[in-house]
Amino acid sequence: MTQQSDGSFRIIGRSLTRSDAEDKVRGKAQYLDDLTMPGVWYADVVRAPVPCGKLLGLHFDESFDWTQVVTVKPEDIPGENIVDMTGLDMPFLAYDRIQYQGEPLALIAAPSKALAREAVNHVRAEVEELPAIQSIQEMVERHKTGLADSLRLLEKKEIRRGDAEGVLAGAGKVLEGEYWTGFQEQLYIEPQGMAAEPMESGGVYIRGSIQCPYYVAPELMKVLNLPLEKIRVEQTVTGGAFGGKEEFPTLPGGYCALLALKAGRPVKMVYDRHEDILFTTKRHPSWTRYRTALAEDGRIAAMEVDMILDGGAYTTISPVVLYRGILHAALGYRCENVTVRGFVYASNSFPCGAFRGFGAPQAYWGLESHVEDLAEQAGLGPDEFRLKNCLQEGDITPTGQHLLTSVGTPAVLKEALRRSDFHAKLARCDQGRPGAKSWYGIGVSFFAHGAGFTGDGEAKFGSRAAMELGRLSDGRPGLTLYASSTEMGQGAKTVLAQMAAEGAGLPFDRVFYPLPDTRVVPDSGPTVASRTTMVVGNILYHAGHKMKCLLEEAAAKHCFGGASVRLEGGRFFAEGVEARPFEEVAEVLLAQGEPLRTEHQFALPPHIRWDQERFVGDAYPAYSWACNVAEVEVDPLTLQIHLRKITAVYDVGRIINPTLAIGQLQGGLVQTIGYALMETMQVRKGLYDANRLQTYIIPTALDVPEMDLQFLEYSCDELAPGAKGLGEITMNGLAPAIGNAVRRATGCRLCAIPMRPEDLYATLYQGAKD
Amino acid sequence: MNTITRTWNVNEEERTVTFGGLHRLLDVLREDLGLTGVKEGCGEGECGACTVLINGDPVTSCIVSAVQVPEGAEILTVEGLEKLELGRRIQKAYMEKGSVQCGFCTPGMLMSSYALLSRNSRPTEQEIREAHAGNLCRCTGYEKIVDAVRAVADELEQGTRSTV
Ligand code: FES
Ligand code: FES
């Protein structure tokens, strides 16, 4: 399914079996809840009963025997009562204002889950309820009618190139569209779980199902009043995350740590599914409005975008989601006059958070739906319009970035259109033809995803990783890698080891990537932003290369009498003598007792320039590009939308492991089928209305259509071995491709996802929905 | 407390276990028998992560009370698969085809594959999908799981042919 990768690699580009697969198929992998923890107690949370209000008092029922449990109230917090994320506006335990229903008020640990729950039920919060904001519709209404001041603004940001307002004011015709997206739950199958225990040295040891060990540790320093080195965080085998275990685990990690320190014993908290859906982060609901003017010749003269995200109750990471949202909201087509304005307002629901795509799926739902109307206005097919206007090598993005290297457009677009036979099928679309038994439609979307942190973020962060020669679990010599990047199912453990082994000139099975533990690993950054393969892979590839040189030197000295030595494919070669296998030489080197360790720090290509204040410059070190084509059949009677086929072509740079890459793509696309057609929840009376798997419906094996998937490898040569981001772009564009197909099938544009039969009915028979 | 003692054949071994009358089969397997390969993803019979076989039938062990499982029943969990020829083949196919990502759905998914292939060695694509429709996977998009099951079925068919 992929193109041949560069023949000069031995390990990169091969579909090696995942190194964690065997443990997982044997039931031996130990997730948090599988670990034995002698003497462990169970944590539970006393939660706010209203979405917005004032806390007047917390009453602990005197008839309950409180000596059987340990409680933590705001006054028991050893440090500051604050979650140390952007904004510093979220208390660990609410003590005055309540901003969402379910906000933690007190923590309880008990020897059994049942007792902890019983204790929680004996606490009563006395509150004065205040009016709450509970939907993005309400937010947008106030924003549009000049009442934005009545909302809590969490962040705003603007991108400006040329003079969009001026051009639009003078344009004969301005095309306008408004687009909406709802909440989405990550729905990793392993629920959230964390555990903490006091360390003899005085700190706390926290373990759990997490994406970012170096988020949890520093974010708990303030509340625990401990220095970083006294907070040890270790990842346990993680059963899926998708962003849901990015910033969130700091909360249960903190609950367990506070209780464990007070109780003087291990405490764990594993959410049940109901609790997990109700009280964890969701994808931000969004609204986008596009206003565009076309030039005579069918080019885009000016585009103005407004984007609003519902941030939920507190700031957390919403600003960063907004930045990614606005950076992608007009990223796709040539246009010299662009304005994008973004706002995050607070509502009274659980804080929204990271979810695969991170603002970009919301942006492309708007852009790629809107472009369909532009094409029609220009008198061009959706394929022709995109081919004519899409960004290509040498073009300039809305932030003024010149696209110069590894630009897989228009290649991805052309290939997807060709493979799906798009143009011919377009003519066959039914457009709601009366009397048809089934309405056929085809739709396309074109999109990108910036890989890594925004701008020069990677340069400022300076991620590091290391490796060391030692013995692996089989007792034989090998390299152990040290980085904080996490395996959460996506295959990082395997792919990073492949890149390290390639750099080091060793076989794959002589390189081991353990679960990160902040006690021993340097900070290679969080496992987010489609950065791990590109950035951390690059670091480990280089550290591997340094290791190869170190091993060659040491081998020359100790095993080859000073002759010049070359390590390749797991064998040491020297002029005039027989090659010796790595393991034999490594035994000699290990016996010397000198540590052989290398480290590398990430360096961005020096030409990357970014102005974070003005949002001008090189927004990302590299971009992945893709085109999705969706084919649907709509039943004219039931209005069921049947997705029949997906054709997807992706340029994500060099493919490290084709089987894993395709697996990421298939998984991301199916998650997007849920986003586009099935998954829906609203806040009603303070809580998400779909709060169990009976009501929050995600795709099963029966919901997956035929898929034709292809990678085109435009290797990012500045960042060897040339991978770009893959994880998130899988979710960016399928929803609008389906929306555009539904439009061609029914003649009717749906402006909101998910697109369900009742929404189609309401739009087809305007006003039918009450 | 009202306790019950049962002897079952668990993963080809006689195991006797004493549990509280209201305990879920899932808890007895995980906590009393140490079979933590069996996972809890929802506790409500919806995700299939806790799927085990009782006398060859797949059941979601989170909504079965242990007391309902009769004396002498044969229980098969993910830990027992490697003792069985078909189990090993399915495990190997999952590894080779890339059917495992985070692995949390895998123990339940494997049991559904085993239940299907032990009865129907030549399932159609639709039959494969239906047999796994009760197992949610958020990582793989199901394609590589279907591929693995199909690969084992093909292998079984070739095996039959070559012995004919
Ligand atoms: S845990 Fe039993 S079906 Fe989900
Ligand atoms: S592999 Fe993660 S849920 Fe299936």
Side-chain angles (χ1 to χ4, degrees):
Chain A
M1 257 184 279
T2 62
Q3 291 192 323
Q4 276 305 306
S5 68
D6 188 330
S8 64
F9 290 121
R10 290 175 308 112
I11 297 173
I12 285 172
R14 285 174 53 199
S15 284
L16 298 172
T17 299
R18 301 172 62 106
S19 44
D20 54 353
E22 184 175 339
D23 276 356
K24 286 174 175 175
V25 298
R26 297 177 68 201
K28 300 267 181 273
Q30 297 217 299
Y31 301 78
L32 181 84
D33 207 22
D34 304 335
L35 298 169
T36 15
M37 292 180 200
V40 74
W41 279 22
Y42 298 85
D44 210 332
V45 181
V46 178
R47 297 184 180 278
V50 296
C52 185
K54 217 176 146 38
L55 182 64
L56 304 175
L58 211 50
H59 304 289
F60 290 77
D61 185 349
E62 280 172 19
S63 70
F64 185 81
D65 177 7
W66 291 99
T67 62
Q68 331 163 64
V69 303
V70 165
T71 56
V72 170
K73 300 175 221 164
E75 58 268 31
D76 301 320
I77 289 176
E80 273 179 75
N81 185 0
I82 200 103
V83 183
D84 194 2
M85 292 181 196
T86 334
L88 291 173
D89 54 348
M90 175 155 74
F92 232 97
L93 297 176
Y95 52 92
D96 171 24
R97 277 302 294 265
I98 291 168
Q99 296 288 14
Y100 67 92
Q101 186 154 343
E103 189 164 6
L105 306 176
L107 308 170
I108 292 177
S112 74
K113 275 186 207 171
L115 185 60
R117 183 35 57 108
E118 199 187 327
V120 164
N121 291 336
H122 283 86
V123 185
R124 191 175 56 82
E126 192 184 334
V127 295
E128 178 193 326
E129 192 165 356
L130 297 167
I133 297 275
Q134 305 215 12
S135 75
I136 183 149
Q137 286 79 6
E138 211 174 324
M139 229 172 239
V140 170
E141 189 56 33
R142 292 199 199 179
H143 175 90
K144 281 186 184 170
T145 52
L147 296 173
D149 285 350
S150 67
L151 298 164
R152 262 193 303 141
L153 178 71
L154 298 179
E155 179 66 328
K156 66 173 181 183
K157 200 79 198 176
E158 194 170 280
I159 296 171
R160 229 165 229 291
R161 174 164 189 247
D163 176 21
E165 286 86 342
V167 176
L168 286 167
K173 184 163 168 62
V174 172
L175 278 145
E176 231 184 280
E178 291 184 38
Y179 310 92
W180 305 80
T181 65
F183 290 109
Q184 189 183 20
E185 159 60 37
Q186 295 87 357
L187 222 114
Y188 30 72
I189 302 297
E190 180 209 19
Q192 301 279 351
M194 297 296 280
E197 57 196 273
M199 292 195 292
E200 268 171 30
S201 58
V204 64
Y205 169 37
I206 301 172
R207 282 184 283 179
S209 185
I210 54 175
Q211 277 176 251
C212 311
Y214 278 109
Y215 277 2
V216 179
E219 288 172 359
L220 291 177
M221 284 164 62
K222 280 206 171 87
V223 70
L224 299 176
N225 194 22
L226 287 172
L228 193 58
E229 63 277 12
K230 296 233 159 182
I231 306 174
R232 172 181 172 194
V233 178
E234 190 180 10
Q235 186 206 11
T236 49
V237 178
T238 297
F242 315 109
K245 295 169 183 172
E246 180 173 332
E247 78 286 8
F248 175 78
T250 296
L251 303 184
Y255 307 155
C256 291
L258 287 163
L259 287 163
L261 288 170
K262 185 152 180 214
R265 54 166 67 244
V267 170
K268 81 169 170 179
M269 185 170 182
V270 175
Y271 282 51
D272 69 32
R273 182 59 63 187
H274 182 54
E275 204 178 7
D276 193 296
I277 299 183
L278 282 177
F279 305 123
T280 67
T281 59
K282 305 285 170 280
R283 190 190 292 288
H284 293 71
S286 77
W287 168 83
T288 45
R289 180 179 56 200
Y290 284 80
R291 300 183 67 238
T292 307
L294 289 177
E296 297 271 305
D297 60 356
R299 289 172 197 277
I300 303 172
M303 181 177 274
E304 184 189 59
V305 191
D306 287 281
M307 179 177 215
I308 293 178
L309 299 180
D310 173 355
Y314 293 105
T315 309
T316 66
I317 53 163
S318 291
V320 196
V321 177
L322 179 73
Y323 303 156
R324 194 170 273 276
I326 61 172
L327 284 167
H328 289 78
L331 183 69
Y333 303 94
R334 275 186 300 266
C335 179
E336 279 169 21
N337 302 290
V338 181
T339 297
V340 187
R341 287 180 288 258
F343 308 84
V344 191
Y345 293 113
S347 67
N348 297 101
S349 61
F350 198 95
C352 288
F355 194 151
R356 195 180 205 172
F358 211 76
Q362 292 97 318
Y364 281 118
W365 168 248
L367 178 61
E368 283 303 292
S369 299
H370 182 62
V371 163
E372 207 71 5
D373 293 339
L374 299 183
E376 191 164 286
Q377 176 67 25
L380 294 170
D383 48 346
E384 297 157 340
F385 183 85
R386 284 178 172 83
L387 283 168
K388 181 181 173 84
N389 287 293
C390 73
L391 290 172
Q392 305 188 15
E393 192 171 304
D395 284 337
I396 299 174
T397 71
T399 60
Q401 177 168 7
H402 284 256
L403 297 172
L404 295 175
T405 48
S406 120
V407 190
T409 142
V412 290
L413 194 47
K414 285 189 174 153
E415 178 63 11
L417 294 169
R418 185 191 70 77
R419 291 178 89 86
S420 61
D421 197 12
F422 185 89
H423 203 77
K425 287 180 178 169
L426 192 65
R428 302 215 307 265
C429 292
D430 282 298
Q431 303 280 3
R433 184 165 54 85
K437 276 183 87 175
S438 161
W439 290 329
Y440 170 84
I442 190 167
V444 58
S445 66
F446 167 69
F447 48 95
H449 199 87
F453 294 149
T454 312
D456 55 358
E458 295 288 354
K460 294 199 177 111
F461 193 95
S463 297
R464 289 176 304 129
M467 61 182 66
E468 195 169 332
L469 180 70
R471 279 182 203 288
L472 304 188
S473 59
D474 59 8
R476 292 156 47 200
L479 301 178
T480 300
L481 309 182
Y482 296 98
S484 65
S485 308
T486 51
E487 168 65 60
M488 43 196 163
Q490 87 283 38
K493 189 181 171 72
T494 304
V495 163
L496 293 177
Q498 280 184 264
M499 289 187 275
E502 185 74 59
L506 292 180
F508 174 66
D509 77 340
R510 293 298 87 208
V511 176
F512 175 64
Y513 191 88
L515 291 161
D517 174 348
T518 58
R519 199 184 44 157
V520 291
V521 300
D523 193 353
S524 61
T527 308
V528 305
S530 300
R531 65 186 287 280
T532 301
T533 310
M534 179 175 88
V535 173
V536 185
N538 168 271
I539 302 172
L540 284 168
Y541 180 69
H542 285 303
H545 197 79
K546 289 182 187 171
M547 176 57 76
K548 177 171 134 80
C549 300
L550 205 58
L551 289 170
E552 286 169 347
E553 252 172 61
K557 182 165 152 208
H558 297 295
C559 305
F560 290 87
S564 126
V565 177
R566 197 162 37 85
L567 171 57
E568 228 178 79
R571 296 164 71 79
F572 288 90
F573 298 89
E575 195 86 24
V577 286
E578 213 177 306
R580 292 175 68 180
F582 160 73
E583 289 187 44
E584 185 190 310
V585 172
E587 288 292 355
V588 178
L589 302 182
L590 285 172
Q592 301 294 318
E594 291 165 33
L596 288 172
R597 182 183 169 98
T598 59
E599 191 168 309
H600 189 77
Q601 182 163 35
F602 185 68
L604 259 191
H607 57 82
I608 302 278
R609 294 267 180 279
W610 178 245
D611 180 337
Q612 175 71 16
E613 221 17 72
R614 291 165 50 234
F615 259 48
V616 170
D618 303 320
Y620 295 99
Y623 294 87
S624 292
W625 300 93
C627 178
N628 286 178
V629 173
E631 292 172 65
V632 302
E633 270 166 17
V634 179
D635 181 326
L637 278 181
T638 63
L639 300 182
Q640 282 289 344
I641 299 167
H642 300 284
L643 181 58
R644 294 301 184 207
K645 184 172 179 190
I646 299 169
T647 305
V649 179
Y650 280 75
D651 156 32
V652 296
R654 186 178 305 287
I655 300 291
I656 309 301
N657 182 317
T659 295
L660 294 192
I662 285 283
Q664 278 293 289
L665 182 49
Q666 290 167 334
L669 289 171
V670 171
Q671 211 167 28
T672 318
I673 295 174
Y675 188 44
L677 296 173
M678 306 164 80
E679 296 175 33
T680 174
M681 52 169 54
Q682 254 133 43
V683 178
R684 281 196 211 287
K685 299 208 183 98
L687 296 174
Y688 303 120
D689 56 358
N691 52 31
R692 298 181 178 278
L693 281 175
Q694 282 102 324
T695 45
Y696 190 76
I697 308 297
I698 67 167
T700 71
L702 292 167
D703 298 307
V704 182
E706 180 189 349
M707 297 202 264
D708 174 20
L709 312 176
Q710 171 77 35
F711 287 116
L712 302 180
E713 295 183 65
Y714 285 74
S715 167
C716 178
D717 292 332
E718 291 184 320
L719 295 171
K724 300 189 285 191
L726 163 60
E728 293 177 284
I729 192 171
T730 60
M731 283 203 84
N732 282 6
L734 183 59
I738 296 173
N740 293 338
V742 169
R743 178 174 181 246
R744 302 270 159 191
T746 63
C748 159
R749 143 91 35 227
L750 291 179
C751 293
I753 45 172
M755 298 171 272
R756 296 158 307 167
E758 55 266 42
D759 307 310
L760 198 49
Y761 179 76
T763 314
L764 273 170
Y765 306 98
Q766 278 282 337
K769 198 175 179 184
D770 63 29
Chain B
M1 215 216 300
N2 175 18
T3 63
I4 289 158
T5 300
R6 283 279 153 80
T7 300
W8 297 319
N9 179 309
V10 182
N11 296 333
E12 315 265 279
E13 271 173 49
E14 295 268 293
R15 303 283 302 261
T16 300
V17 57
T18 300
F19 51 85
L22 293 175
H23 284 195
R24 305 180 299 174
L25 176 60
L26 173 65
D27 298 328
V28 173
L29 292 173
R30 284 179 57 86
E31 282 157 32
D32 300 311
L33 295 171
L35 298 169
T36 54
V38 187
K39 300 298 181 220
E40 175 163 4
C42 70
E44 299 188 325
E46 293 288 332
C47 75
C50 64
T51 304
V52 300
L53 306 192
I54 300 180
N55 298 329
D57 290 325
V59 298
T60 44
S61 61
C62 69
I63 51 166
V64 171
S65 182
V67 63
Q68 295 171 276
V69 183
E71 183 71 16
E74 274 184 29
I75 301 179
L76 185 66
T77 73
V78 65
E79 288 93 343
L81 283 178
E82 60 199 66
K83 297 183 182 167
L84 302 162
E85 163 73 19
L86 178 60
R88 287 192 296 271
R89 284 191 180 198
I90 298 171
Q91 286 174 316
K92 187 162 162 274
Y94 267 58
M95 288 173 57
E96 285 172 356
K97 294 287 169 190
S99 322
V100 180
Q101 288 191 25
C102 82
F104 205 77
C105 71
T106 307
M109 203 63 91
L110 284 164
M111 300 320 291
S112 293
S113 303
Y114 186 90
L116 171 71
L117 289 169
S118 60
R119 283 170 193 180
N120 176 0
S121 59
R122 299 180 62 183
T124 61
E125 163 103 14
Q126 185 64 14
E127 285 169 333
I128 297 176
R129 289 185 184 274
E130 277 166 12
H132 296 81
N135 296 85
L136 297 177
C137 174
R138 195 58 152 170
C139 299
T140 64
Y142 307 101
E143 292 306 274
K144 295 199 179 296
I145 293 166
V146 175
D147 290 350
V149 175
R150 202 187 292 116
V152 177
D154 289 349
E155 224 178 274
L156 293 173
E157 203 192 333
Q158 278 178 7
T160 335
R161 254 200 251 124
S162 59
T163 53
V164 168

